[in-house]
Every structure is written in C-alpha cells, then in structure tokens.
Amino acid sequence: MNGKILELKDIQKHYKNGDTTVRALDGVSLTVHRGEFVAIMGQSGSGKTTLMNIIGCLDRPTSGSYLVLGKEAAHLSPDELAALRRETFGFVFQRYNLLATATAGENVEIPSVYAGLPKQKRSQRARGLLQRLGLGDRTDHRPAELSGGQQQRVAVARALVNDPPVILADEPTGALDSKSGEEVLALLKQLHAEGRTIILITHAESVAQHASRVVRIQDGRILEDSGFPDKGTSETTEDNNRDYTSGVSLSASLQEALVTAWRSLQVNLFRTVLTLLGIIIGVAAVVAMLAVGEGSRQKVLDRISAFGTNLMLIRPGAAGIRNAGDIITLVPEDAAAIKALPNVETALPERSGRMTVRYGNIDYQTTAQGTGEDFPSARDWKVAEGQFFNADDMKAYAPVVVLGRTVAKTLFPDGGSPIGKYVLLRNVPFLVIGVMTEKGASPNGSDQDDVIFVPINTGMIRLFGKNYLSSITIKVTDASDIDATQERVEALLKTRHRTEDFSVRNMASILQAAMETQDTFTLLLGTVAAISLLVGGIGVMNIMLVSVVERTREIGIRMATGARMRDILLQFNIEAAVVCAAGGVLGILLGIIAGLVLRYSGMTVIFSATPAVLAFACASATGLIFGYLPARKAARLDPVIALASE
Ligand code: ADP
Ligand code: MG
C-alpha cells in the first residue's frame, strides 16, 4: 500500500501583479506516497499555502502536471475537483474556518452533506468523531462558545467525516497555544498511525519534527527533501472504489440549503424583516385589493341583477348630457305609448322626492315614489295588506298612498292596521290603501322598505311640483328580445319628441358595462400589486448580493469541503426563495387582516383563494428569479479567493 497518491511535476504558479510576475511556485516536483506524514516547511511567503491549495485542488497551477490517484487534475471538471476535495482530502486550516452560525456537530457534518450521506448517518458519524476527539459534550455548541484548540479539533473532525485518505493541514497549530497545539499534533500523528496520508504545513521546526518526512521550500522551490523512507513500491495506485461524479444527492443538498437559509434569516432577523417588507406589502396588497375588488364587483352585480335583466330604463337627456333634470319632455303619456308596443309588459312612469309624512303627532322623513299601477308586477313586489292603486285611481288623480313596511311600522308603532287611515303629505291628506311586503335591505345596505308609493299623476300635481318624469322603467315579456324592443322604444320616443332627448339602457348592457369597469379596476389593482412585488424582488436581490459578499468566506469553506457550484447556487437561490415565501405567507396573513378590517368598517370584502395562491407563487418565483443573480455570483467564486477573504 505504498503507492504514489499525489505526484506533482514541475508545478509553476505565477501571479501577475501589474508588470511584475510573482512566482509563488517555481518548478515544484513532489511525490507523496500513501501513508506518509510529510511536513512542508518554509518561511512566510515561501509558497506553502499556494502549494497546499494546488495539492488540495482548490487552485489550478499555471503549468506543470499534477496527478491525484493517478488522474491528471488539469483534466478534471469543476464538479470532479469538488468530488476530490470532498472524498480524497480533508482540510484543516490555520484559522479553523468553521461556520459561525452552525453548531460543532453541524460543522463536522458539512462535507458529508455534499457527499450525500443520509441525515441520520451524518449526525451519528459527526457525534462519533467529536466524541473521539474529546468534544462529545460540545456537539451543540457554536464555534464562538469553543476555545481555539476545541475549534481546531472540530475542524479535524470535519476533515475526517468523509473518511478521506489524505489530510491537508495548513499551519494547524499556528493560532493555538502550545498545549492545544500539542494535542492537535498528537491527533494528526494518531491519524497517520491509522494509515492516513498527512501533509502538514508549518514554519516551526518543533512542529515539523513530528513528521516522518520534511520538505523545505523557499521562494517557491524545494530546497531540501528528507525523502520517502521506503521507496520499494513506487507504482501509482489507482483508487477505483470512488466515483467522483456521483454521490451528492440533490435532496440532501436541498435540505442543507433549506436549513442554512432558515438559519441565515434568523441571524439577520431585522434585516430579513426589512427585506421581507417589500414582499409582504406586495402580497398583502394583492390579497386585500383583490378581495375588495371582488366584493365591489359582487355588490354591483347583486344590485343590478336584483333589478332584473328583463328591465329597461329610460332617462331624460341623451347619453352624456348633464342637467338632464331640466329636460321636461319625458311625460306619463310616453309611458302609456310604450306600453302599447309589442313585447312590452309594463312601462312605469316614475318620479320621486324626499318628503315628510305625518300621522297624528308622528313626523317621518321618507321617499315618496310616484309610479304606475303595474309597479307590483313589474318589480315583483307584493302588497301585504290592502291593495295597490289601480288604473282608476290613476285616472282620478286619487290621493291614495301605499306604505313601505318601515314607514308603516314607524307611523303605526302600536301595530294597528294603517288601512283606511289618512296620512298628511305636504299638508294634503292621503288615504292609506295598502302596505307592501317587507323587501329588506338592498345589496348596498339601504332600506328598501323606507318608501311610500303614490299614483304618479297625483304625485306630479300635489307633491313633486313637476309634471315630467325622472325615468320610465320598462319590463319586457321576452328578455331575449330585449334589444329589438329597445330599438322600437327608441324609435317611438324619437317620433314623439322629434329629437333624441332621452337615453335607454337595458340592464344587461348596464351589467356588462359594470363588469367591464370592475375588470379594469381589478387589473389596475393587480398591476399595483405586481409593481410592489417587483420592488420587493429587487430588495431581495440587493440584500442577497450583500449577503454573498458577507459570506464569501462561508462559500469558500463550503467549496473547500466539497460543495459543487450547483450546491452553492442552490443554497443562495433557496435562501432568496425562502425569504420570499416567508414574505408571501406573512403577506397573505396581513392581507386577510386588512381585508377583515375593511369588512368591519362596512365594505363588502370577498376573499378568494386564487389571488392568495397566485400572490404566494409570484412571491416565491420573485425569490427564485431575483435570487439567481446573487446565487450565480456566489457559485462562481474562486474557492481560493473565497477562502482568503476576511
Ligand atoms: P506562505 O503560505 O508560505 O506564507 P503563500 O503561498 O501564501 O506563502 O504565498 C507565496 C507568494 O505568493 C507570496 O509572495 C505571496 O505574496 C504570493 N501570493 C499568494 N497568493 C497571491 C495572490 N492571490 N495574488 C498575488 N500574489 C499572491
Ligand atoms: Mg500560508
């Protein structure tokens, strides 16, 4: 088992710095055999870390050949290199490089997450390793709660979790006191004794003494190599047990991304909430606005269809003319003429006014509605007691009145029958001949029973002081023929008036126009909501970009421990999506609360699931779309540069 595991041939690593070129490595050739304990020694700046990064496949050489387990590293794809880092190498850094937000146990688990180990096995293995390194009772501590020596032992456990054949340690004792340093060195020796290949970088002679082979470098060149003690078998060993391109399951990576996302949101709670605000407001706006829109749509719909789709309404004044009230040409005779047309069931001449009705010492302000004898059948509204006025009453200008239920109750509070009693309207006594059945509140909340009906002829002479109508309501027999009937009505009135000083609308067209208005309204609200989602999305992107910069080191650590570009991409995208989805949920709640408040204040609000689902989906999609750019930025980071960042 003493085959070559790593073989570097004439490795050059140059850094261009303006005009000058720094030769960090200048022709390094080094062969490491399985089971060796090599110390690489040199002063600061001699190229040790650069060499280590190349050995660990974190960095690519400028030129030269590097064989890992017999495979040329230069020919491997980024994902295959990630697999090598994950399964062949375990890294121990001078400054531990633990994730501050994760517990010791979770830190140890990271490489095995990317190796696709199931959750249970991962934590079991992490616990076992920490136990073995004397940190069994520190599994749930975060790095800030551990001493330097303990943190470095956690880092060693992390290096071991995938059971890699090679441990790379870059000045692992550099930041430790001598006692902790001794412990870490003893640990490395023990790992060596178990058959692992150890490459230890140090600038201290005392540390190098622990190794079985010392390689000294200076200015990027090897000065001295104590050599491999037993060079007997030197054929390259190929390790065919590992398949570097597979191994990472998407679900494990997804799970890790979700956990990390959740944690990073918690760490920056205030910032997260501020970021969420845009999304929350956007989603809440969609939910509440569309509920209000739906409510008002339903209200209009109810009001119009309560009126009946077989009705037509004639008003004085051509469409679009103001001061229609001054037009005096619409008269009861028009209604009579219209009634004679085919397909017209009834034509009700109408005028109304507010006035006080008095009975005994009770005064009550109500609406007096002048109408025709066909009103009960046209409006499908029955008389409860007594009768409605008839054609004879109309002709005779009879001073009779039919009370709405509310008026009857108000004027006759003791429950006596109003029929046959006289009430005063404008000091004229009117005989009560009937009381209408109760109709209840209209869809817009007004009391439909707060009304009295008088014959239109009587009303125009005695009450309203005007001898022209404010409208004629027409009921057609066959609603499907309403358009043709409307044309006939228009033709008739044009002949009678010799001009078109009126407008006819049928309920179907009013309904349609109202629906179109409502749809425009809804579209408008939707647009406003979409814009606020967009603004929210840009906020998320902004904060994610900041987050990537802040967490460059974390990204470096994850890459060094085997995360692929895809894993990093997924992680940051998931984070953005989680932010937005959380914002979506909160937004829906806020939208419902806002809707309930509006409902409480008297608005018609109708919630439906579609806008909520849609808004939530939009918010999550916003996260994915706006999270992509920052995620890609993170995934494209060079592991070496990411690791070196502060
Ligand atoms: P050591 O780890 O032995 O202290 P390094 O390998 O970190 O040394 O650095 C070797 C040389 O390469 C130094 O002169 C350093 O300034 C240079 N160097 C290292 N990284 C970079 C880089 N990213 N850009 C430019 N020069 C670098
Ligand atoms: Mg260094």
Side-chain angles (χ1 to χ4, degrees), residues 333-560:
E333 288 72 33
D334 289 333
I338 291 168
K339 197 176 171 184
L341 288 174
N343 197 32
V344 173
E345 195 176 307
T346 59
L348 292 175
E350 287 165 329
R351 170 165 284 285
S352 62
R354 295 290 290 175
M355 59 191 59
T356 303
V357 51
R358 170 179 295 174
Y359 178 74
N361 57 358
I362 304 176
D363 278 358
Y364 184 64
Q365 177 88 14
T366 187
T367 302
Q369 166 116 44
T371 185
E373 70 272 16
D374 294 325
F375 181 86
S377 73
R379 292 297 303 278
D380 205 13
W381 191 351
K382 301 220 162 25
V383 179
E385 211 182 319
Q387 62 200 42
F388 210 76
F389 39 82
N390 55 29
D392 292 339
D393 294 324
M394 297 286 287
K395 266 182 225 141
Y397 294 85
V400 292
V401 63
V402 177
L403 305 182
R405 183 57 81 183
T406 302
V407 180
K409 275 184 196 157
T410 312
L411 294 184
F412 301 91
D414 48 4
S417 171
I419 310 292
K421 304 285 190 331
Y422 282 90
V423 296
L424 287 181
L425 285 167
R426 297 218 194 278
N427 287 324
V428 178
F430 274 71
L431 177 64
V432 179
I433 58 167
V435 178
M436 303 301 285
T437 51
E438 189 162 332
K439 193 90 167 172
S442 75
N444 65 356
S446 65
D447 180 7
Q448 298 183 89
D449 298 309
D450 187 6
V451 67
I452 58 174
F453 297 100
V454 295
I456 182 74
N457 296 359
T458 319
M460 289 199 302
I461 288 180
R462 304 247 173 132
L463 302 178
F464 305 128
K466 286 179 176 140
N467 58 357
Y468 51 92
L469 303 176
S470 56
S471 66
I472 298 176
T473 299
I474 300 168
K475 184 179 184 184
V476 298
T477 316
D478 178 8
S480 64
D481 201 25
I482 196 162
D483 290 332
T485 311
Q486 181 173 341
E487 277 167 29
R488 279 196 290 274
V489 168
E490 281 166 354
L492 176 74
L493 284 181
K494 245 185 264 179
T495 330
R496 289 178 61 88
H497 294 185
R498 284 188 282 277
T499 167
E500 192 166 350
D501 59 352
F502 59 90
S503 60
V504 183
R505 312 218 31 207
N506 67 55
M507 280 304 151
S509 70
I510 292 174
L511 195 67
Q512 195 181 352
M515 286 303 103
E516 276 163 16
T517 315
Q518 286 300 313
D519 287 346
T520 314
F521 180 57
T522 308
L523 189 71
L524 199 77
L525 292 177
T527 310
V528 169
I531 289 172
S532 68
L533 266 183
L534 184 75
V535 172
I538 292 170
V540 170
M541 176 156 73
N542 188 21
I543 219 67
M544 289 307 295
L545 283 171
V546 172
S547 178
V548 167
V549 172
E550 278 178 356
R551 289 158 64 194
T552 304
R553 193 175 184 78
E554 175 193 327
I555 295 164
I557 294 168
R558 288 183 182 278
M559 285 183 157

Side-chain angles (χ1 to χ4, degrees), residues 45 48-50 94 170-171 201:
K48 304 184 296 294
T49 298
T50 308
Q94 178 174 359
D170 187 356
E171 311 239 15
I201 285 178

Side-chain angles (χ1 to χ4, degrees), residues 252-275:
S253 173
L254 192 71
Q255 208 175 24
E256 169 76 4
L258 279 171
V259 171
T260 316
W262 183 243
R263 188 161 293 145
S264 87
L265 299 188
Q266 281 177 316
V267 169
N268 286 310
L269 196 59
F270 185 62
R271 191 169 85 183
T272 307
V273 170
L274 283 182
T275 312

Side-chain angles (χ1 to χ4, degrees), residues 80-99:
E80 288 170 322
L81 291 176
L84 272 182
R85 294 198 288 269
R86 197 158 61 223
E87 297 173 18
T88 304
F89 301 110
F91 290 90
V92 181
F93 303 95
Q94 178 174 359
R95 282 174 306 161
Y96 330 129
N97 277 345
L98 301 176
L99 298 189

